[in-house]
């Protein structure tokens, strides 16, 4: 049994649902109790889709158990096929249905429906969402591309590829595809099929026609791509084009497979990140300690961008994608940090506190942690939140993606710096200590209005609340937890002059230094001795 | 609804639903009630014993990521628990141990059953008893089920309150008369009602759930209870079994509902009618006044309710009688004939009442009815909006203070806003 407050991934059937919702002409009949229908809102509310996801839930109840749950399932299949007329149906069980062992696959097959049935067995008590998505996509690909012939490429025809991996509820997938298509087009490579997003089962039958496969999200598409490679000899482009360097590598890798010259595609002026990172105002980014956590694809890419493209220092690297633990471990070694392979958000929080980062790149969950610790933060990975579907174009991949990343990582640091400047003027009459930064106005207002108790309030339904500017936790960096007695008032005052986002670190370092050197009362001297001691 | 028949223990008073539905339910399970319960009872912690799905439901449904550390969590059952490699009760004890260490402030630990725990017949009441022996008197441990195979959305609160009644001390037969208001209300609403009861001279008033777990009211034959929420079937039965008497009334929504609700209590406690008039007149006046400004937006507009909270019939009564709205279909997961008797009597004859759900068919009917406003869950709202319908999320109706005189206007506002908003947006989609 695992104690959880938040989870990074849903159950595996939610992964399957994401594949069904990504595609056209697929319907998912899910044996599940009524509460499991919450999954619909992930698509309609978080992603703001205009249609319900293509899923029928049997919503069996206690009184059905041991009697007619199998009957319910069969009825649901028949009705779904009749009503939605899909090209194929997926059938499977959620965690509860798995326990009652009705065998949805067998039941659906026995119905003799006139559409192909793809049975899914997704062990809910072992596996999670991304695995469920990967397995479902693989089952569909194998089901529809399996047994087909790879057509011979026409003489003189351009090379073609499939783009595999983008899904509903994927982090910035909608915009990433546009960027990747742009890259491929600049190389003259034809796009055969994009899947699962917007593909139909019929499209999947055409997968073998491509010369190679581009895998955008290994978490989702690797299983299917490996199978396609075995079956049809399609090579896999493994570089995920997030960041400038990776995008350039991606171009070269594709060019190599397509037998074309990458020079023109590489000579683009679309990249601003690399110049911005070199411009003098970026000097202050040097060596910023950054803690990175997310799915493997985004965490790996972020670490590389941080170190090689922005001149940050990775001080923590982790993932909840257990299947990719090896890659993360290798990267962590490279950057000289301990890998964190865990899906327990409390572990992650602990690691963040421990690492004293100046910037956190993580999921929405780390955004919360960072907020509480008052560390600047940017979100780089699923699980997604309504804010991860911005109205504007905001890819992560390709050159434009790198530009977006530059902005979204550097902005929070700049906000921190501005607060620091405000802090330096704190003696000014306009900037007394209780004046919050203007972008935190809502927080200050909420404080007045009763703080956390007001989090769910009239006019502010659950969803808006989630997007609203943050809870009102006290500034933990300043909380003198008992140890305060050790600080002389002057030293305490001096400490306040240090920007808030490193103040906690300064306090801890100084106290540690004091402990180690046997100093009982911390003076201004001690503070600066410690600073010199820990200087990098 | 689970055991509809069993729950329908009272003789059908008044009208019957026009449609009984048995198909896909697009409604949350009872676990979702925890989202407001954990904020209401501030020293309680709700530990769901369930699956990753349950944990995911909680965070998705609530959009609660803003709560740094909410007072609920999920103990996720894993493969090794099911295969017998680990003893479930030992595992649970270990989880509880970890939790209590982290949260020493917890005074009441509530184990909440889920579908998986029910299906594998994990006896949480037994576990609660065992843990209680260990942790009493510092902490109380209780258990109830919020599983989706047994409870729909607000019924989770019903199950919780039913369990809480078991924990209430016994009031002797000669105890002073007391009033229990059952069903969670926002603190601000609770305070307003407290002041009114006080002005009416009704003493010994308690609200259930209480804000603190160690302040549970004593219940006995001299206890009368009012229901503040329409979904309290089991809790009401438990109260009655303790000898308490139900005061039947409309639910306190709108000026009419609030007045009738307070009046029922006043009559039961022998409050002088003149005093009742004097105490309630200002509130009634304010409620009527607040409602006036919504007449223009709401009157004549037709509304369709998908089933969610069981509040639907009472809301429909308010909207039709105090805001002049037209009713098409009123769906409710379950219609408690006895508790709703007064409400149903006030509904127009031609309204379609449906109980249970078959979501696809209901959507068809909704299209046919072509209403001006649809009240539905989060999964359905945006797709309806995309089709050009105005919608109101039903979940907001359980999170927002809507009961009582001072909130009558706010309640109307919840329905008026989507309509005003549509009118305000001039840009074509
Ligand atoms: S319906 Fe059952 S399995 Fe699903 S979230 Fe609710 S309690 Fe958990
Ligand atoms: S919003 Fe205002 S105070 Fe806040 S960071 Fe930006 S400029 Fe500074």
């Amino acid at each position: 049994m695992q104690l959880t407050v938040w989870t990074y991934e849903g159950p595996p059937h939610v992964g399957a649902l994401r594949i069904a919702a990504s595609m056209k002409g697929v319907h998912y009949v899910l044996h599940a109790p009524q509460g499991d229908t919450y999954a619909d809102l992930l698509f309609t509310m978080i992603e703001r889709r205009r249609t319900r996801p293509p899923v029928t839930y049997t919503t069996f109840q206690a009184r059905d158990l041991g009697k007619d749950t199998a009957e319910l399932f069969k009825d649901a299949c028949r009705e779904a096929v009749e009503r939605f007329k899909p090209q194929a149906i997926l059938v499977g069980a959620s965690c509860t249905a798995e326990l009652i062992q009705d065998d949805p696959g067998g039941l659906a097959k026995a119905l003799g429906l006139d559409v192909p049935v793809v049975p899914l067995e997704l062990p809910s008590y072992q596996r999670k969402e991304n695995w469920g998505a990967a397995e479902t996509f693989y089952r569909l690909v194998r089901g529809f591309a399996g047994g087909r012939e790879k057509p011979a490429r026409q003489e003189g025809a351009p090379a073609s590829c499939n783009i595999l991996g983008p899904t509903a509820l994927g982090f910035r997938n909608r915009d990433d595809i546009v960027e990747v298509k742009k890259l491929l087009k600049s190389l003259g490579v034809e796009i055969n099929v994009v899947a699962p997003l917007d593909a139909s089962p019929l499209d999947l039958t055409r997968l073998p026609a491509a010369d190679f496969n581009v895998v955008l999200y290994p978490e989702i598409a690797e299983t299917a791509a490996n199978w396609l490679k075995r079956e049809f000899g399609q090579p896999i482009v493994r570089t995920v084009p997030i960041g400038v360097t990776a995008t350039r590598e991606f171009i070269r890798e594709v060019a190599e497979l397509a037998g074309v010259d990458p020079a023109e595609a590489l000579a683009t002026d679309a990249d601003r990140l690399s110049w911005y990172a070199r411009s003098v105002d970026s000097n202050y980014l040097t060596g910023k300690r950054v803690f990175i956590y997310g799915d493997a694809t985004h965490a790996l890419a972020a670490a590389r961008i941080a170190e090689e493209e922005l001149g940050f220092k990775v001080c923590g690297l982790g993932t909840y994608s257990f299947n990719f633990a090896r890659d993360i471990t290798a990267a962590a070694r490279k950057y000289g940090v301990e890998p964190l392979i865990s899906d327990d958000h409390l572990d992650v929080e602990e690691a963040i506190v421990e690492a004293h980062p100046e910037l956190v790149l993580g999921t929405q969950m780390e955004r919360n942690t960072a907020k509480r610790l008052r560390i600047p933060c940017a979100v780089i990975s699923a699980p997604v939140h309504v804010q991860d579907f911005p109205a504007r174009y905001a890819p992560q991949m390709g050159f434009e993606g790198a530009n977006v990343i530059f902005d979204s990582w550097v902005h929070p640091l700049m906000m921190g710096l501005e607060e620091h400047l405000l802090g330096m003027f704190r003696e000014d009459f306009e900037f007394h200590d209780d004046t919050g930064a203007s972008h935190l106005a809502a927080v200050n207002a909420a404080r007045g209005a009763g703080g956390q108790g007001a989090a769910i309030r009239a006019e502010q339904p659950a969803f808006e609340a989630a997007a609203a500017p943050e809870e009102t936790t006290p500034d933990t960096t300043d909380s003198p937890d008992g140890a305060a007695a050790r600080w002389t008032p002057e030293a305490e005052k001096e400490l306040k002059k240090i920007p808030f986002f490193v103040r906690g670190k300064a306090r801890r370092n100084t106290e540690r230094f004091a402990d180690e050197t046997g100093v009982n009362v911390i003076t201004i001297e001690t503070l600066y001795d410690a600073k010199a001691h820990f200087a990098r | 609804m689970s055991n509809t028949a069993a729950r329908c223990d009272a003789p059908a008073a008044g009208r019957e639903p026009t449609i009984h539905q048995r198909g896909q339910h697009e409604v949350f399970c009872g676990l979702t009630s925890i989202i407001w319960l954990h904020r209401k009872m501030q020293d309680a912690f709700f530990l769901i014993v369930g699956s990753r799905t349950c944990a995911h439901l909680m965070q998705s449904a609530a959009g609660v990521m803003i709560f740094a550390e909410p007072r609920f969590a999920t103990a996720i059952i894993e493969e090794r628990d099911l295969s017998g490699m680990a003893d479930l009760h030992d595992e649970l004890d270990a989880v509880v141990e970890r939790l209590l260490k982290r949260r020493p402030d917890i005074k009441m630990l509530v184990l909440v059953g889920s579908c998986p725990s029910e299906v594998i017949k994990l006896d949480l009441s037994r576990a609660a008893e065992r843990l209680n022996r260990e942790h009493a008197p510092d902490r109380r441990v209780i258990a109830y089920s919020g599983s989706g195979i047994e409870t729909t959305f607000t019924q989770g609160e019903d199950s919780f309150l039913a369990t809480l009644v078991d924990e209430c001390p016994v009031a002797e037969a000669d105890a002073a008369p007391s009033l229990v208001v059952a069903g969670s209300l926002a603190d601000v609403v609770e305070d307003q009602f407290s002041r009114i009861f006080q002005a009416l001279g009704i003493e010994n008033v308690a609200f259930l759930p209480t804000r603190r777990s160690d302040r549970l009211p004593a219940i006995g034959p001299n206890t009368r209870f009012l229901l503040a929420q329409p979904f309290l079937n089991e809790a009401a039965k438990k109260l009655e079994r303790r000898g308490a008497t139900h005061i039947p009334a409309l639910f306190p929504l709108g000026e009419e509902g609030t007045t009738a609700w307070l009046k029922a209590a006043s009559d039961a406690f022998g409050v002088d009618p003149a005093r009742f008039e004097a105490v309630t007149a200002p509130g009634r006046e304010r409620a009527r006044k607040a409602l006036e400004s919504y007449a223009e937006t709401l009157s004549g507009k037709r509304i369709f309710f998908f089933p969610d909270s069981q509040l639907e019939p009472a809301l429909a009564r308010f909207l039709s009688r105090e805001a002049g709205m037209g009713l098409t279909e009123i769906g409710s997961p379950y219609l408690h004939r006895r508790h709703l008797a007064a409400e149903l009597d006030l509904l127009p004859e031609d309204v379609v009442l449906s109980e249970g759900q078959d979501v696809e068919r209901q959507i068809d009917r909704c299209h046919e009815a072509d209403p001006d406003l649809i009240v539905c869950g989060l999964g359905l709202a945006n797709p309806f909006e995309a089709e050009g319908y105005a919608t109101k999320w039903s979940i907001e109706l359980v999170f927002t203070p809507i009961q009582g005189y001072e909130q009558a206007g706010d309640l109307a506002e919840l329905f008026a806003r989507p309509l005003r908003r549509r009118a305000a947006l001039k840009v074509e989609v």
Side-chain angles (χ1 to χ4, degrees), chain B residues 42-350:
Chain B
Q42 306 241 333
D43 58 355
F45 192 101
F46 294 79
L47 180 65
I48 299 161
V49 182
S51 63
R52 184 169 298 281
T53 314
C54 308
H56 200 233
L57 157 93
M58 290 302 288
Q59 77 188 47
S60 311
V64 281
M65 286 193 176
I66 50 154
F67 301 130
E69 185 134 7
R71 283 182 301 275
F72 63 78
T74 309
I76 297 182
I77 299 170
E78 294 169 302
E79 184 68 17
R80 45 194 293 277
D81 303 311
L82 296 173
S83 62
M85 275 162 61
D87 179 81
L88 271 164
H89 286 278
D90 291 347
E91 289 286 307
L92 183 59
D93 288 1
V95 164
V96 167
E97 203 56 47
R98 218 185 129 189
L99 178 67
L100 293 181
K101 220 185 207 160
R102 202 180 150 80
R103 301 296 300 264
D105 53 316
I106 300 169
K107 288 274 173 280
M108 179 181 265
L109 179 66
V110 189
L111 304 178
V112 189
S114 66
C115 305
S117 78
E118 299 284 321
V119 170
I120 62 173
K121 302 204 157 45
L122 175 60
D123 188 344
L124 289 181
S125 314
R126 216 186 82 204
E129 266 169 44
R130 185 185 63 238
L131 287 162
N132 217 2
R133 276 197 298 277
E134 206 172 308
H135 296 285
D138 299 350
R139 296 188 182 97
R140 246 196 268 203
V141 185
I142 63 171
Y144 75 93
S145 171
S147 84
I149 53 176
E150 283 171 327
T151 60
T152 302
F153 196 25
T154 48
Q155 281 178 329
E157 174 170 337
D158 185 26
S159 302
F160 172 59
L161 291 191
T163 304
L164 216 51
V165 170
D166 290 338
E167 297 295 307
C168 289
V170 175
E172 297 306 328
D174 58 355
S178 66
L179 175 66
V180 167
V181 179
S184 57
L185 294 167
D187 288 357
V188 53
V189 178
E190 217 176 275
D191 294 343
Q192 288 166 10
F193 284 147
S194 291
R195 285 195 295 270
I196 295 178
F197 287 129
Q198 202 175 10
L200 290 170
I202 301 177
E203 281 165 20
N204 297 326
V205 182
F207 291 83
L208 208 63
T210 44
R211 293 184 204 182
R212 291 198 25 197
S213 66
D214 56 1
R215 302 260 168 88
L216 293 175
I219 293 162
N222 284 337
T223 307
R224 293 194 176 81
F225 69 93
L226 263 179
L227 296 177
Q229 301 283 6
F231 44 74
L232 298 177
N233 181 35
E234 297 298 322
K237 275 200 245 170
K238 279 277 180 72
L239 285 164
E240 283 172 343
R241 225 170 287 157
R242 280 287 200 93
T245 322
H246 177 214
I247 306 173
L250 286 182
F251 291 94
L253 297 173
E255 189 268 324
E256 181 183 33
T258 305
T259 304
W261 190 74
L262 290 170
K263 182 81 173 114
S266 296
D267 290 350
F269 282 82
V271 176
D272 172 34
R275 185 171 185 180
F276 179 82
E277 272 304 311
V279 169
T280 54
R284 293 161 75 170
E285 183 52 33
R286 279 197 299 272
R288 272 196 295 265
K289 202 136 184 245
L291 285 170
E292 266 166 29
S293 55
Y294 294 102
E296 198 188 324
T297 318
L298 293 177
S299 120
K301 298 290 192 319
R302 297 162 67 252
I303 189 165
F304 189 106
F305 283 91
F306 278 79
D308 272 290
S309 61
Q310 296 189 40
L311 282 162
E312 295 85 2
L315 289 167
R317 178 263 303 157
F318 162 73
L319 290 169
S320 91
R321 293 171 62 89
E322 294 184 54
M325 288 189 89
L327 306 175
T328 57
E329 174 168 336
I330 307 170
S332 180
Y334 171 64
L335 290 167
H336 191 287
R337 314 297 191 278
R338 191 158 57 99
H339 293 166
L340 286 174
E343 296 285 355
L344 298 180
D345 282 347
L346 294 181
L347 292 175
E349 276 304 314
D350 58 345

Side-chain angles (χ1 to χ4, degrees), chain A residues 411-412 414-419 422 436-441:
Chain A
H411 183 72
M414 252 155 46
M415 298 227 297
L417 200 73
E418 280 167 18
E419 292 210 12
L422 281 179
S438 58
H439 73 281
L440 295 176

Side-chain angles (χ1 to χ4, degrees), chain A residues 466-485:
Chain A
E470 326 321 350
E471 76 268 27
T472 57
T473 6
D475 175 2
T476 48
T477 63
D478 265 356
S479 70
D481 38 307

